[in-house]
């Protein structure tokens, strides 16, 4: 093929995804591969709604979950380009209630702090070694967490306070003001609500609700018609069901598309995981990134900004394994660094999978995934709807299947 791919070898991707569906691992799935801006491969199979026997189709709308994070990070960096803030600004400069945030003291044993007991038990905090900055938010080195990654007392406090998903972004920020950080900012990497706080900052800097800013400044200009923080009425019948893994080759319905909350505009605009979209919409977003900020004469970011975002920003150019990563994330750890909004490949050999240095990527909780390889000008978007994303190693398998087809 003129794009440097072998058509016969690309066909292996489709057969592999078909096996996943035939074996009952995924209800259905689709994958889009492009190179140099030109589509090289597309495959779709299975059902978007098993109960109603509705097939996955190219314009099926899915929950993106954490694939929202790159979008929210781009939104914040667009405002950075306007001079609204500096990356090393303390977050407390814009969230005054966070001025006295302290760090949970791991050297003192907690006295029964648990989700069951609540958070009224005694614990000890210490002052952070350095103030949390906006860059710490973008790189998940802020000391914030999610509330479901293990049995740490801080996780229990998040769960008890219902930090995300209820109320508004303002409510989330207020709740976080009363919970200690898990570690001193900049010292570790931990997946958490950092990107939701980025979304809050987008609202503060722009004066717009996050969904309105994203629609006006990102999805509108990029013609991402079906992407947003809820399913638009015209696309309601194309919305996929979401499923939970139960056992090997067994899943159950998690969110019925007909009665789903995603049909209504939410009160909580999650920059960390609230968006829906289609495969072609997300591919357009990725094309903007591989083209260094511009698509079809619409420029969202400057070239240097995209290059900077796609650099590894972990201290000493180290990987996630060296940063004491959390038990939950959307990527492996060895050989993988982190930029401003997505993972970045530092060392393909250490990552133990076919890859290119500088490739950047992220995935979502329902097993979705995308990556951009600037070196090869390759974009891959994979969509399905199965929770959790760690169920099967499809992401690493897709890396191998795509790169083996390059000739």
């Amino acid at each position: 093929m003129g794009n440097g791919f072998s058509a016969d070898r690309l066909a292996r991707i489709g057969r592999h995804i078909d096996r996943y569906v035939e074996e009952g691992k995924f209800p259905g799935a689709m994958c889009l591969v492009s190179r140099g801006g030109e589509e090289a491969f597309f495959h779709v199979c299975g059902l978007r709604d098993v109960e109603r026997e509705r097939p996955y189709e190219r314009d099926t709308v899915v929950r993106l979950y954490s694939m929202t994070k790159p979008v929210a990070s781009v939104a914040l960096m667009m405002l950075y380009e306007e001079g609204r803030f500096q990356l090393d600004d303390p977050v407390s400069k814009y969230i005054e209630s966070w001025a006295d945030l302290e760090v949970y003291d791991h050297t003192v044993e907690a006295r029964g702090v648990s989700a069951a007991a609540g958070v009224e038990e005694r614990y000890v905090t210490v002052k952070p070694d350095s103030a949390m900055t906006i860059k710490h938010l973008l790189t998940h080195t802020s000391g914030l967490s999610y509330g479901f990654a293990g049995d740490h007392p801080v996780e229990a406090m998040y769960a008890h306070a219902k930090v995300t998903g209820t109320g508004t972004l303002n409510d989330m920020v207020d709740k976080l003001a009363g919970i200690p950080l898990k570690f001193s900012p900049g010292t570790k990497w931990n997946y958490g609500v950092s990107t939701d706080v980025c979304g809050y900052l987008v609202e503060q800097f722009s004066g717009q609700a996050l969904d309105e800013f994203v629609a006006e400044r990102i999805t509108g200009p990029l013609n991402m018609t079906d992407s947003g923080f809820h399913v638009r009425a015209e696309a309601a019948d194309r919305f996929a069901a979401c499923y939970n893994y139960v056992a090997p080759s067994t899943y159950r319905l998690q969110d019925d598309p007909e009665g789903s909350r995603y049909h209504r505009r939410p009160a909580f605009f999650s920059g960390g995981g609230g968006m829906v979209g289609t495969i072609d919409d997300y591919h357009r977003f990725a094309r903007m990134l591989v083209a260094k900020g511009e698509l079809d004469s619409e420029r969202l970011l400057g070239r240097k900004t995209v290059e900077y975002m796609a650099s590894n920003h972990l201290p000493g150019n180290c990987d996630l394994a060296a940063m004491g990563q959390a038990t939950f994330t959307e990527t492996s750890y060895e050989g993988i660094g982190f930029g401003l909004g997505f993972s970045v490949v530092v060392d393909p050999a250490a990552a133990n999978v076919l890859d290119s240095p500088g490739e950047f990527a992220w995935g979502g909780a329902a097993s979705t995934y995308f990556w951009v390889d600037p070196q090869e000008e390759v974009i891959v978007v994979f969509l399905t709807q199965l929770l959790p994303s760690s169920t099967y190693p499809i992401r690493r398998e897709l890396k191998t299947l795509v790169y083996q087809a390059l000739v």
Side-chain angles (χ1 to χ4, degrees):
M1 297 176 70
N3 53 30
F5 279 110
S6 160
D8 289 342
R9 285 177 166 265
L10 281 173
R12 294 176 179 178
I13 303 171
R15 291 195 293 270
H16 189 73
I17 295 172
D18 286 345
R19 280 196 296 273
Y20 261 89
V21 174
E22 289 162 4
E23 293 170 5
K25 294 177 178 178
F26 288 148
M30 64 180 107
C31 184
L32 174 59
V33 181
S34 69
R35 192 177 195 207
E38 297 296 323
E39 183 173 317
F41 175 83
F42 175 77
H43 184 77
V44 60
C45 62
L47 301 174
R48 71 175 187 267
D49 186 333
V50 175
E51 288 68 27
R52 298 177 182 88
E53 298 186 345
R54 294 172 179 166
Y56 257 101
E57 295 170 309
R58 185 155 181 160
D59 62 355
T60 293
V61 179
V62 304
R63 300 153 197 79
L64 294 173
Y65 286 114
S66 285
M67 276 170 61
T68 306
K69 286 181 170 71
V71 179
S73 299
V74 164
L76 187 57
M77 291 303 290
M78 291 171 77
L79 292 162
Y80 170 71
E81 288 190 330
E82 294 177 7
R84 305 295 184 96
F85 65 92
Q86 291 298 300
L87 290 169
D88 55 0
D89 280 348
V91 176
S92 60
K93 180 177 179 180
Y94 308 104
I95 307 177
E96 292 182 4
S97 62
W98 287 22
D100 298 319
L101 277 183
E102 295 202 337
V103 180
Y104 181 89
D105 189 350
H106 297 263
T107 65
V108 179
E109 184 177 353
R111 296 170 178 84
V113 178
S114 68
V119 296
E120 300 305 319
E121 309 296 335
R122 291 170 292 171
Y123 57 90
V124 176
T125 60
V126 295
K127 291 191 178 300
D129 297 333
S130 60
M132 183 199 303
T133 67
I134 292 178
K135 186 173 180 180
H136 289 141
L137 294 173
L138 285 160
T139 57
H140 289 282
T141 57
S142 62
L144 299 172
S145 194
Y146 253 137
F148 51 78
D151 56 2
H152 191 282
V154 170
E155 303 288 347
M157 295 179 214
Y158 273 66
H160 183 266
K162 297 179 180 176
V163 167
T164 61
T166 60
T168 64
L169 288 173
N170 286 330
D171 295 328
M172 174 195 71
V173 166
D174 289 344
K175 292 173 184 176
L176 289 171
I179 300 176
L181 300 175
K182 203 169 179 181
F183 52 83
S184 193
T187 61
K188 293 183 180 181
W189 190 92
N190 190 74
Y191 203 39
V193 298
S194 292
T195 316
D196 289 297
V197 181
C198 288
Y200 170 83
L201 291 176
V202 169
E203 293 195 338
Q204 303 311 300
F205 295 135
S206 69
Q208 292 179 278
L210 181 61
D211 67 334
E212 293 171 350
F213 182 92
V214 168
E216 182 181 311
R217 301 286 298 275
I218 298 176
T219 58
L222 294 181
N223 197 26
M224 296 166 63
T225 312
D226 288 314
S227 296
F229 287 85
H230 69 283
V231 181
R232 64 191 186 99
E234 296 85 348
D237 62 345
R238 294 188 275 118
F239 189 41
C242 194
Y243 297 88
N244 258 330
Y245 170 82
V246 176
S249 299
T250 307
Y251 49 78
R252 66 168 178 267
L253 183 66
Q254 182 266 341
D255 186 34
D256 189 314
E258 295 206 345
S260 176
R261 63 181 175 84
Y262 284 94
H263 291 295
R264 301 178 297 278
R265 185 181 187 232
F268 185 87
F269 301 115
S270 173
M275 290 183 69
V276 298
T278 62
I279 199 162
D280 282 303
D281 277 3
Y282 211 89
H283 183 250
R284 290 186 66 78
F285 177 73
R287 281 179 61 198
M288 177 275 295
L289 292 172
V290 81
K292 304 293 177 69
E294 183 181 30
L295 181 66
D296 296 341
S297 301
E298 292 284 352
R299 179 162 291 283
L300 271 63
L301 291 168
R303 174 179 65 86
K304 294 293 288 185
T305 304
V306 176
E307 291 171 351
Y308 190 72
M309 292 178 71
S311 302
N312 181 25
H313 286 263
L314 299 183
N317 200 37
C318 71
D319 62 8
L320 291 170
M323 289 290 286
Q325 79 286 340
T327 55
F328 169 80
T329 181
E330 296 293 345
T331 185
S332 55
Y333 312 121
E334 287 77 16
I336 308 296
F338 206 83
L340 304 183
F342 20 67
S343 61
V344 179
V345 174
V346 179
D347 184 349
N352 290 311
V353 67
L354 290 178
D355 233 329
S356 297
E359 173 257 272
F360 55 98
W362 207 240
S367 304
T368 60
Y369 192 53
F370 92 104
W371 80 84
V372 172
D373 183 338
Q375 184 173 307
E376 298 286 353
E377 293 187 83
V378 167
I379 297 168
V380 180
V381 185
F382 173 79
L383 299 183
T384 186
Q385 296 283 264
L386 181 76
L387 298 162
S389 61
S390 57
T391 304
Y392 302 109
I394 186 67
R395 295 169 179 175
R396 291 172 66 83
E397 292 164 355
L398 283 174
K399 286 280 183 71
T400 303
L401 287 160
V402 170
Y403 284 118
Q404 62 83 34
L406 276 173
V407 294

